[in-house]
Amino acid sequence: MTKVYTMYNNKGGVSKTTTLFNLAVFLSQQNKKVLIVDCDPQCNMTEIFFASNPEFGEPETELPGTSIFQALLPRFKGEAGAINPNTVELVPSPIYQNLFLFRGDLEFSLAETYFGTAWNQAITENIHEKNTYVSLYRLFQSLGETNSFDYILCDVGPSTGSITRMVVLACDGIFLPLVPDRFCNQAVKLLGRIVHDWVTRHEQVSESLVPFNIGSFPGKPVFLGGILQNYKVQNNAKAKESYVKWQNRITENIKGYLLTPEGMTSAASLDPDHPYLATIRDVSPLAPVAQMFGRAIFDIEQEHTKEASTTGKMYYGTVWEPWVERMEEYKTEIAKIAGAIL
């Protein structure tokens, strides 16, 4: 059965999209069939995916495949009870076998209204809104079954709006990317209550679906673990003290606000005293180069370093070797994240 996961934080700037893309590539290289769904109207994931093909480098170029908004629009308009997965054209990666994209769409921002109305009215006797409410979960499951995907990974924005709500509720689990700072610390305090409120409302909606013979869905994703991002290290390769202090505060708030009866249930293997799957060091300038070529950070080739060089020449020897070390280190951390679901 296809498993659906997302990386979510109601605080932006925590490398959700970059980390999700690298996780998807890693899983595809473990002989897993993976679908990335770009559920963020900013469409950054779609841009990264197509960056590997120069043909789609210009903004006005029409992209292949069905967008998520195009797929759901017949349901939003009431023209279809559920979306036929055979009408959705997914895009295979030109460089990674087993990796596919359900591309984003700037117009998907309009889905905030459609899903928002369904969120408010699905508990009534409005059949149209009830079917819209379950449409995203149904679509993920039907795409997974029809195409035999092992994993569906959803990229979402940092909002708490209706699109994010429906994506999170449709998932089996959530990864929490974090930067050890004051702002992520504040976000963690709110996250448990936010998700708990969503799950509670979903339970109420689910009960209202029963008399109408409309199947609901679990709507209770588990917390898979935190991912510490953009760590700055000192010369002795230890994390800076300021980062360690914020990490400690965040750990206490994950335990006190997130992993509570009023928050989220954690994966059985997760240690609440150290709820982190990986620690990812600051990867600049590797990340911009990887994004330029639509590749995983651990999959940058030597010739790509021309784009990072002030002379336009490829890196060699003692200049290239640190890049290789950083890529291997990064891949090790991504493998730890993958280990939570493999």
Side-chain angles (χ1 to χ4, degrees), residues 293-342:
F293 294 96
R295 303 183 77 90
I297 287 173
F298 52 78
D299 211 20
I300 295 172
E301 296 180 353
Q302 194 170 1
E303 65 179 28
H304 297 146
T305 60
K306 294 177 182 178
E307 299 299 332
S309 171
T310 55
T311 63
K313 295 182 179 180
M314 190 165 57
Y315 287 170
Y316 293 94
T318 56
V319 181
W320 169 240
E321 287 171 4
W323 278 58
V324 175
E325 292 174 2
R326 294 290 292 278
M327 286 190 286
E328 291 176 349
E329 177 187 327
Y330 185 85
K331 188 173 186 178
T332 297
E333 298 304 310
I334 293 295
K336 292 177 183 177
I337 302 169
I341 59 176
L342 278 171

Side-chain angles (χ1 to χ4, degrees), residues 188-199:
V188 166
K189 288 183 177 181
L190 293 174
L191 186 59
R193 189 169 76 235
I194 289 170
V195 176
H196 176 75
D197 289 346
W198 293 350
V199 171

Side-chain angles (χ1 to χ4, degrees), residues 25 34 45 57 106 121 144-145 170 179 222 244 247 331 333:
V25 172
V34 182
M45 180 64 79
L106 295 174
Q121 296 188 17
E145 182 178 352
V179 175
V222 300
V244 173
Q247 177 186 333
K331 188 173 186 178
E333 298 304 310

